[in-house]
Amino acid sequence: MTTLDSLGPSHRGRIKTVHGSHAISQRLMEMGLIEGSTIEVIRLAPLGDPMQVSIHDYNLSLRKSEAALVEVERCT
Amino acid sequence: MHLSEAAASFALVGNPNTGKTTLFNALTGLSHRVGNYPGVTVERLEGDLKLGGRTVSLIDLPGTYSLAARSQDEAIAVDVMLGQHAGELSVKAILAILDANNIKRNLYLLSQLMELGHPLVVALNMSDVARRHGIEIDAAALSQRLGIPVIPTSSDRGEGVDEVRRALGEALENRGSHPARGAQLPQELVRQVDALQAYLLSEEATLKRKVAWAEALRILVDVEGEFEKRLLRELGVAFLGRLAAFRRDVESERPLHALEAVARYGWIDEIADACVRRPSEMARTKTDRIDGFFTHRVWGTLALLLILGGIFQAIYSWSAPLMEAIDGFFGVVAGQVSSLIPPGPLQSLIVDGVIRGAGAVVIFLPQILVLVFFIALLEDCGYMARAAFLADKLFVRLGLSGRSVIPLLSSFACAVPGIMAARAIDSRRNRLATILVAPLMSCSARLPVYVLLIGAFVPGRSLLGGWLGLQGLVLLLAHLIGITVAIPVLLIVKKTVLRGPNSPFVMELPPYRVPVLRNVLSRLIDQSRAFLVNAGTVIFSVSVVIWALSYFPHPASIHQDFEAQRAAQGSPAERLLLDQQEASAYLSQSVLGRFGQVVEPVVEPLGWDWRIGMAVVGSFAAREIVIATLGTIFSVGSDVDEGSETLLGVIKSATWPDGRKLFNLPVALSLIVFFALCCQCVATLAVMKRETASWRWPAYTFAYMTVLAYLAAMATYQLGMRLVA
């Protein structure tokens, strides 16, 4: 199983599912992390966490612990 | 007829970073009213909206991505729109603002708003910027699909504002004439929401309100959300079983929230396919290029340090001349008034009570203005989110997020603007935790106390071959005590009063924008006014009360005694000394002085006598007053500062009644430690009350900091005395 936190900068993935507790997964889905959407990792913060991703034409920051809840399929 | 129209109000709703504030200011002008919703920490902003000949009020609701409220603060927006907020006018129509640059995520909230049953008008903002990025939105087609008016706007340039006004006027006239066509939620979900709503309507007598469909949806879908919690408070926890049954009956393999989100985004995709044209590959935008620098491993970190350093330096030193000017101004006024009114209780009340009290309020304005200016600027241009992004990891282990960096850093200059800056923290628990520890950061008002005591009692020895003086080291340590203590305090607070899972750090990094001067100005005006009106009243009153405590009963016998002595003395120097001794005698006879004498046994374990104890208690109006009080009680006059040679000499030679020296190194250190940790600052507590809308948090803060300060000062003194011995 590949999760979003394992993607490196400028790698893309297609979202399969969002796991995790109700509140966090609901928040992620509201922000557009819906199955089938393409998400790209832009960069990591200088201290290695959180990560900056791009989805639906906007930039989002989320912690790796939250990105680990997002199951993705690597895009080539 | 006119009455009902005056009472009508519109709500402005939208995602954060959509230019909502700019549109609000463009529609209402600068004459808006700021306040707090009762019981929560959310700011309430309302302005007058002129529609043709009529005036309605426009409420600017906090920016949000969804109606699924996870805290009382987030529930406010929904409550206001549903007309369930006590004391609020009912909302007659909603102006929804969408950012054309990321229309998809913005449509999510709109799809929820469409289920509230209010007439809607959509402002499609920043269409001009979107077009430059190659995004074309067919507003007419969008309007037709949604069944509501969609008006392209550019609030930064003031384009489309008149059209929005016109559309709102029409919405007020022919309510509900546009049949809105929103997202189709799955049948199995809709059926259960209907069933739940029907059940809750049958409970109307107990609930004392009619539950709207949109609220029933939130109760059903948001497991452990704010609306569920409220309903359980109203109907009792037993209702949870019934609610679980309603949820179970939605036959789906997906969790309920996924069912909702997937359906809404499905609807959004259809709309976007029909009305939005975008390049298949987005070009690198200006924001991407700027981000390449500002979030860069090396340059981004450096830029953050420079910006934070600059802000700190600005609050610390830019405001200093202004503060001195204010101080000087109130000094001149006090002098003028003293010469107009004969000495006596009235003169003292006006000079030492009223004028000094007003000065104690206004003195904070420069620091507030400087910090609010920078924060408004950084937020408006989009850098604030980057600062939080860069710093987040440092704060995660403390249970906070990167958003705490500016409030806590600013508190090293002054906790008052620092606590106000905590508004930028989106999670309520993190915001309160930050506010609770902000006064532990060593502020500039503590510095004079440190300087006086270190100068008097810490030997000027140099360490590390002259690189560091012992005095400098002690000063550094005095600044570090607070941060060191803040860490365990945060960990404890997040496990007790503010326990709960660390809130997610799912934060938008908005596009960079040129800050709008008008937004920055209106923030400056609003926040200064809020401080002067709310916190100012408290600070002023406490200053006057402390004046009274240190003035009364002011027995006439003391004056007669000293008059007799003065008559016997010739030289002006001796008369001055007598004047100072008279002031000291009055102070020790005052309520405050007597209180100090009664509680001396309490402060004795700290190595203090009643005079020090009283000066510390009296400094509640403002920390730096402790020096003036010490000056008065040790008979050298109240117009002393931390560098005063006479004050230094006097406190060095002060003794206990049995002849022992009052001050020594352990006593000085115990005072320093006490001041580093205590919250003897009414301004901090008053601002905390204003920002948290409750006396509970300032009470907590005062209690825990005083206890900590007392214990640490006692440990310092006792340990110090053993080492000295």
Side-chain angles (χ1 to χ4, degrees):
Chain A
M1 186 176 96
T2 313
T3 49
L4 180 59
D5 61 312
S6 65
L7 296 191
S10 59
H11 282 252
R12 284 184 193 195
R14 181 163 290 113
I15 295 172
K16 286 167 75 181
T17 355
V18 180
H19 303 273
S21 85
H22 191 99
I24 292 189
S25 100
Q26 184 176 28
R27 167 57 73 86
L28 290 169
M29 293 180 114
E30 288 167 350
M31 297 301 277
L33 279 76
I34 292 286
E35 53 191 55
S37 308
T38 309
I39 191 163
E40 181 182 347
V41 177
I42 306 293
R43 60 171 66 81
L44 299 179
L47 298 171
D49 197 22
M51 61 202 305
Q52 178 180 352
V53 298
S54 162
I55 183 154
H56 298 308
D57 298 341
Y58 81 99
N59 281 294
L60 189 70
S61 146
L62 72 171
R63 292 191 182 128
K64 280 189 165 174
S65 58
E66 288 145 6
L69 303 171
V70 183
E71 196 180 328
V72 293
E73 184 184 319
R74 266 173 209 279
C75 298
T76 39
Chain B
M1 177 191 155
H2 278 276
L3 201 70
S4 69
E5 275 169 1
S9 60
F10 286 24
L12 174 58
V13 194
N15 286 183
N17 314 303
T18 46
K20 196 159 71 69
T21 310
T22 316
L23 183 62
F24 178 78
N25 286 339
L27 284 167
T28 62
L30 279 177
S31 63
H32 47 253
R33 298 171 288 284
V34 190
N36 261 74
Y37 290 100
V40 292
T41 60
V42 181
E43 193 178 66
R44 187 185 182 292
L45 201 60
E46 188 187 336
D48 289 334
L49 176 64
K50 292 202 171 56
L51 302 175
R54 292 166 301 184
T55 303
V56 298
S57 76
L58 182 65
I59 305 174
D60 185 16
L61 289 175
T64 181
Y65 297 105
S66 154
L67 300 187
R70 291 279 163 197
S71 70
Q72 272 178 298
D73 288 6
E74 287 174 12
I76 286 290
V78 189
D79 280 343
V80 171
M81 286 184 275
L82 288 173
Q84 282 178 2
H85 201 278
E88 284 294 327
L89 302 169
S90 63
V91 166
K92 293 281 187 288
I94 293 173
L95 171 58
I97 180 166
L98 307 184
D99 179 354
N101 291 283
N102 64 76
I103 187 79
K104 282 190 169 185
R105 197 205 60 214
N106 277 262
L107 280 169
Y108 190 87
L109 178 66
L110 184 73
S111 78
Q112 291 180 329
L113 294 178
M114 290 170 81
E115 289 155 11
L116 291 174
H118 289 302
L120 266 161
V121 171
V122 168
L124 185 64
N125 204 25
M126 294 188 272
S127 324
D128 49 338
V129 184
R131 203 166 304 128
R132 248 179 283 142
H133 293 160
I135 301 173
E136 292 282 352
I137 300 178
D138 186 341
L142 187 60
S143 171
Q144 211 190 358
R145 276 221 158 221
L146 297 174
I148 47 185
V150 175
I151 294 138
T153 56
S154 166
S155 59
D156 286 5
R157 301 182 184 181
E159 285 166 19
V161 175
D162 290 334
E163 288 83 348
V164 168
R165 216 185 286 270
R166 205 171 305 136
L168 285 173
E170 282 164 19
L172 189 64
E173 270 160 25
N174 35 15
R175 275 166 217 169
S177 70
H178 296 276
R181 287 180 288 278
Q184 283 290 322
L185 296 178
Q187 269 312 311
E188 59 270 32
L189 182 62
V190 173
R191 209 176 302 127
Q192 285 311 108
V193 178
D194 290 344
L196 177 62
Q197 189 197 13
Y199 176 81
L200 293 175
L201 286 175
S202 74
E203 291 279 343
E204 197 187 330
T206 324
L207 289 168
K208 297 184 191 69
R209 63 194 170 95
K210 280 192 163 68
V211 173
W213 195 88
E215 189 188 343
L217 173 68
R218 299 278 43 105
I219 295 169
L220 189 78
V221 172
D222 305 344
V223 177
E224 287 173 19
E226 190 55 32
F227 294 99
E228 173 195 301
K229 284 186 197 155
R230 184 162 63 196
L231 196 70
L232 294 182
R233 280 197 296 272
E234 290 168 326
L235 292 182
V237 187
F239 182 71
L240 196 55
R242 194 176 279 267
L243 185 57
F246 277 110
R247 285 173 179 158
R248 238 186 347 262
D249 287 347
V250 182
E251 281 160 15
S252 163
E253 293 184 353
R254 286 197 173 108
L256 293 181
H257 67 270
L259 214 54
E260 181 193 4
V262 169
R264 292 197 194 280
Y265 271 103
W267 173 80
I268 290 167
D269 280 337
E270 280 173 29
I271 292 189
D273 286 345
C275 311
V276 183
R277 271 192 317 160
R278 61 185 286 281
S280 60
E281 199 65 20
M282 291 293 284
R284 227 168 105 83
T285 61
K286 214 190 291 171
T287 289
D288 295 333
R289 280 191 298 274
I290 302 176
D291 252 352
F293 178 79
F294 276 116
T295 57
H296 186 269
R297 198 172 288 262
V298 180
W299 308 125
T301 312
L302 274 178
L304 176 68
L305 292 176
L306 268 176
I307 291 170
L308 293 181
I311 293 177
F312 183 72
Q313 186 63 20
I315 320 174
Y316 210 84
S317 51
W318 290 10
S319 47
L322 278 171
M323 291 167 79
E324 271 162 36
I326 290 171
D327 217 28
F329 172 75
F330 280 93
V332 169
V333 173
Q336 290 291 325
V337 173
S338 301
S339 63
L340 289 176
I341 308 173
L346 184 65
Q347 189 204 59
S348 184
L349 167 67
I350 293 180
V351 173
D352 300 326
V354 174
I355 298 178
R356 187 183 279 180
V361 177
V362 180
I363 199 80
F364 286 101
L365 266 190
Q367 291 179 323
I368 291 174
L369 289 176
V370 171
L371 183 62
V372 171
F373 172 77
F374 277 108
I375 289 178
L377 209 64
L378 292 182
E379 252 173 23
D380 223 47
C381 75
Y383 184 76
M384 206 57 143
R386 272 72 184 186
F389 173 72
L390 292 170
D392 184 62
K393 201 175 178 195
L394 296 173
F395 290 87
V396 177
R397 289 208 185 148
L398 301 174
L400 298 179
S401 81
R403 290 189 191 262
S404 292
V405 65
I406 290 191
L408 288 181
L409 180 96
S410 316
S411 298
F412 276 99
C414 179
V416 168
I419 289 168
M420 290 170 79
R423 288 180 186 196
I425 302 172
D426 51 350
S427 139
R428 178 180 161 274
R429 275 184 289 116
N430 286 0
R431 181 175 175 199
L432 288 172
T434 305
I435 289 176
L436 277 177
V437 297
L440 276 174
M441 306 301 123
S442 195
C443 68
S444 55
R446 284 159 164 127
L447 197 59
V449 184
Y450 298 160
V451 169
L452 172 78
L453 293 167
I454 290 174
F457 300 102
V458 177
R461 212 173 291 154
S462 64
L463 303 169
L464 299 171
W467 284 96
L468 183 68
L470 185 58
Q471 294 188 332
L473 180 68
V474 173
L475 188 62
L476 180 67
L477 289 176
H479 280 87
L480 290 180
I481 299 170
I483 325 176
T484 317
V485 169
I487 294 170
V489 168
L490 273 175
L491 295 176
I492 293 169
V493 162
K494 293 288 273 186
K495 290 216 161 58
T496 53
V497 277
L498 296 172
R499 82 181 149 267
N502 196 351
S503 37
F505 188 65
V506 181
M507 175 185 69
E508 182 184 3
L509 295 166
Y512 289 100
R513 268 179 216 131
V514 178
V516 180
L517 189 64
R518 196 175 186 183
N519 294 352
V520 175
L521 279 182
S522 76
R523 280 276 288 275
L524 277 177
I525 295 169
D526 290 347
Q527 296 221 11
S528 318
R529 193 160 48 192
F531 170 79
L532 287 178
V533 172
N534 300 69
T537 323
V538 178
I539 301 169
F540 178 78
S541 321
V542 168
S543 300
V544 173
V545 167
I546 289 188
W547 163 81
L549 292 178
S550 59
Y551 186 83
F552 292 111
H554 215 77
S557 57
I558 293 180
H559 188 61
Q560 285 150 14
D561 268 10
F562 278 90
E563 275 302 275
Q565 290 185 46
R566 259 188 291 259
Q569 299 290 350
S571 81
E574 278 161 334
R575 295 173 77 105
L576 178 66
L577 187 65
L578 278 173
D579 284 352
Q580 290 168 346
Q581 282 169 354
E582 186 181 354
S584 170
Y586 276 131
L587 186 52
S588 31
Q589 282 298 311
S590 70
V591 178
L592 189 64
R594 286 184 206 179
F595 174 74
Q597 288 158 42
V598 172
V599 299
E600 190 175 73
V602 179
V603 295
E604 234 182 287
L606 280 59
W608 309 352
D609 75 343
W610 68 270
R611 290 174 292 186
I612 306 179
M614 181 198 68
V616 170
V617 174
S619 74
F620 186 60
R623 285 191 176 93
E624 56 275 23
I625 284 184
V626 72
I627 291 174
T629 316
L630 286 173
T632 305
I633 196 70
F634 288 113
S635 311
V636 293
S638 62
D639 51 348
V640 286
D641 62 28
E642 67 274 17
S644 162
E645 288 299 324
T646 40
L647 181 60
L648 278 179
V650 165
I651 63 171
K652 273 182 175 169
S653 55
T655 59
W656 288 90
D658 62 6
R660 272 183 304 131
K661 276 267 166 44
L662 173 56
F663 278 96
N664 55 16
L665 185 58
V667 174
L669 292 179
S670 120
L671 250 178
I672 290 177
V673 167
F674 189 89
F675 263 86
L677 296 177
C678 74
C679 195
Q680 284 296 92
C681 175
V682 64
T684 301
L685 298 170
V687 160
M688 238 181 232
K689 150 75 173 58
R690 140 96 195 145
E691 295 294 312
T692 61
S694 145
W695 279 112
R696 185 174 150 209
W697 301 103
Y700 267 149
T701 309
F702 183 73
Y704 96 78
M705 287 181 67
T706 307
V707 169
L708 264 179
Y710 183 85
L711 295 177
M714 182 162 71
T716 308
Y717 174 71
Q718 300 293 347
L719 206 69
M721 285 310 276
R722 298 227 156 88
L723 288 176
V724 170

